[in-house]
């Protein structure tokens, strides 16, 4: 009760003192502003990246294994070099694998290449052309917005048909209806049978700028020696390691590996992405943390300096307050709160600037938002800086002898 | 029981090799309701003595009892509480807080006493009215004359209803007419029952007091009580104690 009273009074007195010297308080809190802007922006960026990542990775099933010649995230250059010597997974092997993998929910061979697509006058290049089968949709969670996806018959047949991503659709057809139209993928015509829902981007890579064609057409057009990946939906999230072993065993048979011979393929899965992603965000966090602590440190020193000046300037005032009954603790509290208020003031300004910046970032770059946790944490950091930088000057003020203080000019 | 009882108080300052004896064994008793003037040449230790009585400073040796409490054995916080409740200090240089208006300056001791704000405001207004500044509540010190500033300072000293009012050369920074007014105010306050101790250089200021203590070289050189001038209140006879 008593303490609360003194606390409230100390806040009032501190605000008075700050108001009497607004300019100085404002300038000295600049470092804190910068620190808080960095810490919140960093938090917002990581937050935004996380959200974007979770959203984009959710299209990749957690129970899906991606059998490939390469590991997605090579540990080093040498490993990458080794994999280049592995033989490609060809269509025969893909076929054999599909036939043997009876225990899994779905298998889709996937070949990929870059293509230029054209329709009448319009064209788009750098389009991801994917050759696959009907299984692809279930495995990769593609949703058809219009028309239909590839069927078993499309996959087995010889009709040149394609399903296009939403970006390709708007690119080539604007508002027109793409279904039934023939588009040109590199040098061959394909009839559009379906359009996919927009999926957004994964790590900056648009998932909507793609066309999906039957694997047979793909191999015909882009050559038999294309590298094929096998996307396998195990349908067994609870026991993924076991499913992984099964897939591995089948693949070893298909590739005619003798016991003791190392795998000449890699089974990738979603959590590799998650691990990779966390490594990236950790780097961002570390850099941000470094800048933040540097700014806060410099800012804190600035505040400490200004508080020392303030204490010396107000020595007489301190003497007067003590002469009329202020306790050392009251004086300490007042100066400490003054430092905290200056920092908090910087924190609020920093937070507002960061908020504006996140608005800009989410408008033009990627979705970013300041969560309540980040905002709260950054204000807490501001308060902590205030305490750290105010403690010494406040201590000095509190320790003054009343007579000595009153005697000062 | 005396309000103030000093027993062989000394106060020395160490200046490098040299020790300065500002007070050399002062013993003194002051009763409730007294009006005491302390006089003496410059450097004789008047301010030092006042600061000790006002608990702003602590003696190098000797005992100090205020209102029955042994001040010389108190810690920092207890001293702060004593300064807050028992003592009203008026300085030569007013010592008001420049950024606060008159009312808030006067409220300050009540803030430290933990008085809630409504009550505080009322008491501060009252004290300012008592010194004739009811119409200057919102003025800041730099918007007031010297005499008015000293009145604010006196109101601040009074607001906690202290046991003693201490004033160290309260008219030293004022012209003689304003000084007169301030001294008249002290007399009035004394008539209302306050105990007052004033340090002064001026004989006619001292003449208003019932008792004049003269210091020389850090010791008491004289302690005279005289009869009240005509028309002034009779001294409340102190209960003599030895
Ligand atoms: N902080 C200090 N350090 C050293 N010496 C001091 C200190 N304060 C006072 N003195 C010395 O103590 C002696 C008494 O000082 P004090 O201020 O009490 O005198 P005073 O009677 O109030 O004089 P004045 O009439 O000029 O105000 C002086 O010699 C002074 O130099
Ligand atoms: Mg003096």
């Amino acid at each position: 009760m008593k303490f609360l009273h003194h606390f409230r009074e100390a806040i009032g007195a501190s605000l008075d003192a700050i108001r009497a010297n607004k300019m100085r308080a404002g300038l000295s809190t600049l470092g804190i502003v910068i620190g808080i802007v960095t810490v919140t922006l960093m938090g917002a960026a990581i937050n935004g990246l996380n959200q974007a990542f979770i959203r984009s990775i959710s299209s990749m099933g957690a129970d899906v294994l991606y059998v490939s010649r390469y590991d997605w995230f090579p540990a080093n250059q040498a490993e990458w070099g080794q994999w280049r010597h592995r033989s490609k997974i060809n269509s025969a092997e893909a076929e054999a694998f599909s036939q043997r993998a009876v225990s899994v929910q779905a298998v889709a061979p996937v070949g990929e290449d870059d293509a230029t697509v054209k329709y009448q006058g319009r064209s788009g290049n750098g389009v991801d052309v994917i050759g696959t089968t009907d299984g692809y949709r279930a495995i990769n969670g593609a949703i058809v917005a219009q028309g239909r996806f590839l069927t078993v018959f499309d996959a087995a047949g010889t009709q040149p048909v394609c399903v296009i991503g939403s970006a390709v659709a708007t690119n080539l057809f604007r508002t027109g209806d793409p279904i039934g139209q023939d588009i040109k993928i590199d040098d061959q015509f394909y009839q559009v049978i379906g359009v996919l829902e927009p999926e957004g981007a994964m790590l900056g890579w648009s998932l909507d700028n793609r066309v999906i064609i039957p694997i047979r057409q793909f191999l015909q057009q882009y050559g038999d020696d294309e590298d094929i990946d096998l996307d396998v939906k195990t349908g067994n999230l609870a026991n993924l390691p076991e499913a992984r072993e099964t897939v591995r065993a089948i693949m070893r048979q298909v590739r005619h590996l003798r016991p003791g011979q190392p795998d000449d393929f890699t089974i990738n899965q979603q959590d590799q992405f998650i691990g990779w992603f966390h490594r990236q965000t950790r780097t961002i966090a570390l850099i941000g943390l470094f800048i933040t602590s540097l700014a806060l440190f410099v800012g804190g020193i600035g505040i400490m300096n200004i508080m020392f000046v303030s204490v010396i300037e107000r020595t007489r005032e301190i003497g007067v307050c003590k002469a009329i009954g202020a306790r050392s603790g009251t004086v300490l509290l007042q100066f400490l709160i003054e430092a905290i208020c200056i920092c908090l003031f910087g924190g609020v300004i920093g937070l507002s600037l960061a908020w504006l910046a996140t608005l800009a970032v989410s408008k033009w770059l990627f979705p970013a938002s300041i969560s309540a946790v980040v905002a709260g944490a950054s204000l807490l950091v501001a308060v902590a800086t205030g305490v750290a930088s105010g403690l010494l000057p406040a201590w000095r003020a509190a320790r003054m002898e009343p007579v000595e203080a009153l005697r000062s000019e | 029981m005396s309000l103030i009882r000093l027993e062989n108080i000394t106060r020395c300052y160490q200046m490098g090799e040299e020790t300065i004896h500002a007070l050399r064994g002062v013993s003194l008793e002051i009763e409730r309701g007294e009006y005491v003037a302390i006089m003496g040449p410059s450097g004789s230790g008047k301010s030092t003595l006042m600061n000790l009585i006002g608990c702003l400073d602590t003696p190098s040796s000797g005992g100090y009892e205020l209102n029955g409490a042994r001040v010389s054995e108190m810690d920092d916080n207890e001293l702060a509480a004593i300064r807050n409740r028992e003592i009203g200090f008026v300085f030569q240089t007013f010592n008001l807080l420049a950024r606060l208006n008159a009312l808030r300056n006067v409220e300050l001791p009540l803030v430290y006493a933990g008085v809630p704000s409504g009550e505080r405001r009322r008491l501060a207004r009252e004290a300012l009215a008592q010194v004739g500044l009811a119409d200057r509540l919102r003025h800041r010190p730099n918007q007031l004359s010297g005499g008015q500033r000293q009145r604010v300072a006196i109101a601040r000293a009074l607001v906690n209803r202290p046991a003693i009012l201490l004033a160290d050369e309260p008219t030293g920074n004022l012209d003689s007419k304003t000084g007169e007014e301030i001294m008249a105010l002290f007399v009035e306050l004394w008539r209302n029952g306050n105990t007052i101790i004033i340090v002064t250089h001026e004989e006619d200021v001292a003449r208003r007091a019932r008792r004049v203590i003269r210091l020389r070289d850090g010791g008491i050189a004289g302690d005279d009580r005289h009869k009240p001038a005509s028309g002034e209140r009779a001294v409340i006879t102190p209960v003599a104690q030895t």
Side-chain angles (χ1 to χ4, degrees), chain B residues 133-186:
Chain B
L133 283 181
D135 55 346
R136 293 285 188 280
L137 303 181
R138 309 279 168 208
H139 286 58
R140 294 205 184 170
N142 61 5
Q143 298 163 329
L144 294 169
S145 73
Q148 288 171 330
R149 287 184 212 183
Q150 196 59 302
R151 283 167 191 272
V152 174
I154 293 170
R156 181 178 67 187
L158 283 174
V159 75
N160 263 359
R161 307 191 185 290
I164 353 164
L165 212 53
L166 300 174
D168 191 348
E169 298 190 48
T171 61
N173 275 16
L174 301 174
D175 62 68
S176 55
K177 185 172 163 295
T178 320
E180 271 304 306
E181 288 169 16
I182 293 295
M183 291 320 299
L185 178 60
F186 274 111

Side-chain angles (χ1 to χ4, degrees), chain A residues 346-363:
Chain A
V348 170
I349 293 182
L351 207 54
S352 321
L353 290 180
W355 180 70
L356 289 178
T358 34
L359 284 189
V361 165
S362 24
K363 187 154 184 230

Side-chain angles (χ1 to χ4, degrees), chain B residues 35 88 96 130 204 217:
Chain B
Y35 188 153
L96 299 173
Q130 211 179 339
D204 48 307
D217 267 344

Side-chain angles (χ1 to χ4, degrees), chain A residues 318 322 328-329 331-332 335 393-401, chain B residues 76:
Chain A
I318 295 164
K322 287 198 146 189
S328 301
V331 175
L332 182 92
F335 279 93
W395 176 249
R396 184 154 164 190
R399 249 192 14 205
M400 283 182 180
E401 290 293 334
Chain B
D76 258 17

Side-chain angles (χ1 to χ4, degrees), chain B residues 33-90:
Chain B
E34 275 198 276
Y35 188 153
V36 181
I38 297 178
M39 299 196 69
S42 187
S44 56
K46 306 182 294 294
S47 296
T48 308
L49 181 60
M50 285 295 260
N51 291 338
L52 286 170
I53 294 175
C55 298
L56 291 175
D57 198 4
T58 45
S60 306
S61 73
Y64 174 19
E65 236 173 75
L66 175 69
N67 231 346
R70 290 203 61 85
V71 172
S72 42
E73 284 159 18
M74 286 183 176
D75 68 22
D76 258 17
N77 280 340
E78 289 170 319
L79 285 176
I82 291 281
R83 288 196 292 267
N84 187 233
R85 282 199 310 268
E86 308 282 3
I87 289 163
F89 220 114
V90 178

